[in-house]
Amino acid sequence: MKIRILVVDDHTLFRRGLTALLNRDPGFEVVGDAGDAGEAQRRAEELKPDLILLDNHLPGVTGVDALPALREAVPAARVLMLTVSEDEGDLAGALRAGASGYLLKTIEGDALAAAIRRVMRGESIVAEEMTGKLVAAYRDAAAPRPAKAAEPAAAASPLDALSPREQDILRGIASGQGNKEIARSLGIAETTVKIHVQHILRKLDVSSRVHAAVIAVERGLG
């Protein structure tokens, strides 16, 4: 079965180019496109796509603001942001509103295709360039508040299951480093880092580096 895609972007030439690119992949079918939020909602209700590729800079209503209505119109569809915006507020807002991922338009075609497939498997995807900004946004949100009355002792941290080396690697992930940078800073092979990352995701019961980074920040490791 092909993945049925709706492309939402206010630039006609970009929509056409992206549609042609995606339709070259035998696993995809672009079933329609839209240039603004209102048209996107109408087309989504009509076409019932599996996935909506959504730009943020739309006329009138931004993609982030349009997300709740799109999710209500087609609850089964996944929404993947594809935008030029590197603003951490847009990123955090999109994820809070139910986006399955946030990618930048500088992404290569094969990487976009791979990201779409991962999202359709239920994973969350965030552009590597944005990981550090996402962590910063969560760090700000998790900043200490004035102390209230004594609270019950905190539950055991999920980080306790990680080895010291895995915690070192998770710190690198939380700071926005890629596997190559982490390997260089720790003096180990990149393949070793990849194996450790797989173990970290399994132990934390998450499907993406982004979720692992958020846990690290929430638990004071980032």
Side-chain angles (χ1 to χ4, degrees):
M1 295 290 292
K2 292 187 176 184
I3 298 172
R4 303 173 69 256
I5 301 171
L6 174 65
V7 175
V8 183
D9 194 284
D10 65 329
H11 290 93
T12 303
L13 289 179
F14 181 81
R15 291 201 309 271
R16 290 176 179 172
L18 183 58
T19 295
L21 173 68
L22 294 172
N23 279 336
R24 286 207 298 266
D25 190 309
F28 301 149
E29 179 186 4
V30 177
V31 294
D33 61 76
D36 59 53
E39 184 182 10
Q41 184 173 348
R42 291 191 296 272
R43 298 287 279 162
E45 290 174 340
E46 170 193 353
L47 298 168
K48 298 292 189 294
D50 302 311
L51 179 131
I52 300 171
L53 279 176
L54 179 63
D55 186 21
N56 189 44
H57 293 300
L58 300 176
V61 178
T62 67
V64 171
D65 289 338
L67 253 167
L70 287 172
R71 297 273 297 152
E72 184 176 351
V74 276
R78 316 228 184 233
V79 179
L80 179 57
M81 301 295 295
L82 181 62
T83 180
V84 298
S85 175
E86 297 188 33
D87 180 80
E88 59 265 31
D90 290 338
L91 168 61
L95 296 180
R96 280 196 300 266
S100 295
Y102 194 101
L103 300 176
L104 301 179
K105 287 184 176 179
T106 52
I107 192 170
E108 298 290 339
D110 56 348
L112 175 59
I116 290 172
R117 289 186 167 91
R118 289 177 62 186
V119 163
M120 292 307 299
R121 290 198 298 267
E123 298 182 39
S124 298
I125 303 292
V126 172
E128 189 170 316
E129 305 94 314
M130 298 295 292
T131 303
K133 294 185 177 184
L134 177 63
V135 170
Y138 273 92
R139 183 180 288 118
D140 291 343
R145 297 327 193 255
K148 299 179 181 178
E151 297 179 355
S157 169
L159 303 184
D160 293 342
L162 304 183
S163 70
R165 174 63 81 190
E166 289 167 345
Q167 292 192 21
D168 288 339
I169 291 172
L170 183 55
R171 285 190 187 92
I173 294 174
S175 67
Q177 292 181 326
N179 289 347
K180 186 175 296 184
E181 294 172 291
I182 294 173
R184 188 183 304 117
S185 65
L186 296 178
I188 58 179
E190 185 177 355
T191 52
T192 302
V193 174
K194 290 180 180 178
I195 293 171
H196 279 305
V197 170
Q198 292 174 359
H199 293 167
I200 290 167
L201 298 184
R202 186 181 69 251
K203 288 180 179 181
L204 297 182
D205 193 25
V206 296
S207 61
S208 74
R209 296 167 69 96
V210 173
H211 285 179
V214 169
I215 291 174
V217 172
E218 289 176 341
R219 299 290 175 163
L221 187 65

